[in-house]
């Protein structure tokens, strides 16, 4: 979002990631078939039952780029969706959870 890419955006990103963690199971259920075989915790993935995020951590559920942390603004990457996911479903879930949802 624009607020994530603007000054102070890193705090907005961290709040969005916190919301994603609270809805981890719902997101996993919609993120494509076969994720239980892919998200094993090995080979640069987080375990399917564990939500973790980190800066430059390719083994996390959510990866924040080193430049994002350094600049205090930027983007994050949700590494959980499978290649067979429905991009409309996943995009709408991420937007709904991170922008609209009030936990």
């Amino acid at each position: 979002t624009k607020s994530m890419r603007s000054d102070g955006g890193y705090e907005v990103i961290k709040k969005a990631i916190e919301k994603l963690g609270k809805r981890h199971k719902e997101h996993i259920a919609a993120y494509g078939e076969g994720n239980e075989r892919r998200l094993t915790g090995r080979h640069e993935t987080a375990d399917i039952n564990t939500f973790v995020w980190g800066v430059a951590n390719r083994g996390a559920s959510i990866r924040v780029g080193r430049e994002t942390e350094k600049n205090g603004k930027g983007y994050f990457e949700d590494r959980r969706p499978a290649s067979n996911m429905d991009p409309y479903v996943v995009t709408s879930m991420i937007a709904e959870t991170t922008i609209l949802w009030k936990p």
Side-chain angles (χ1 to χ4, degrees):
T1 64
K2 187 174 183 179
S3 62
M4 292 177 187
R5 297 184 319 269
S6 299
D7 289 340
Y10 191 54
E11 291 305 314
V12 177
I13 289 169
K14 290 193 292 186
K15 288 177 184 171
I17 293 170
E18 182 181 321
K19 288 180 180 181
L20 287 167
K22 291 179 179 179
R23 288 183 133 178
H24 177 67
K25 288 183 182 181
E26 293 92 332
H27 281 254
I28 287 293
Y31 276 14
E33 295 180 24
N35 267 340
E36 67 281 352
R37 293 186 308 273
R38 186 177 65 83
L39 299 176
T40 62
R42 292 174 279 171
H43 312 296
E44 295 188 335
T45 67
D47 179 84
I48 194 167
N49 297 309
T50 307
F51 181 87
V52 294
W53 74 276
V55 175
N57 183 351
R58 294 180 55 85
S61 309
I62 305 290
R63 185 185 74 80
V64 175
R66 195 170 304 285
E67 286 294 309
T68 296
E69 181 187 45
K70 178 183 166 190
N71 296 333
K73 60 186 175 184
Y75 70 96
F76 64 89
E77 171 189 356
D78 191 338
R79 299 179 52 79
R80 301 170 295 170
S83 61
N84 63 7
M85 57 78 182
D86 181 330
Y88 298 102
V89 170
V90 171
T91 301
S92 68
M93 285 189 79
I94 292 172
E96 196 278 328
T97 297
T98 61
I99 301 168
L100 303 173
W101 185 53
K102 307 285 187 218

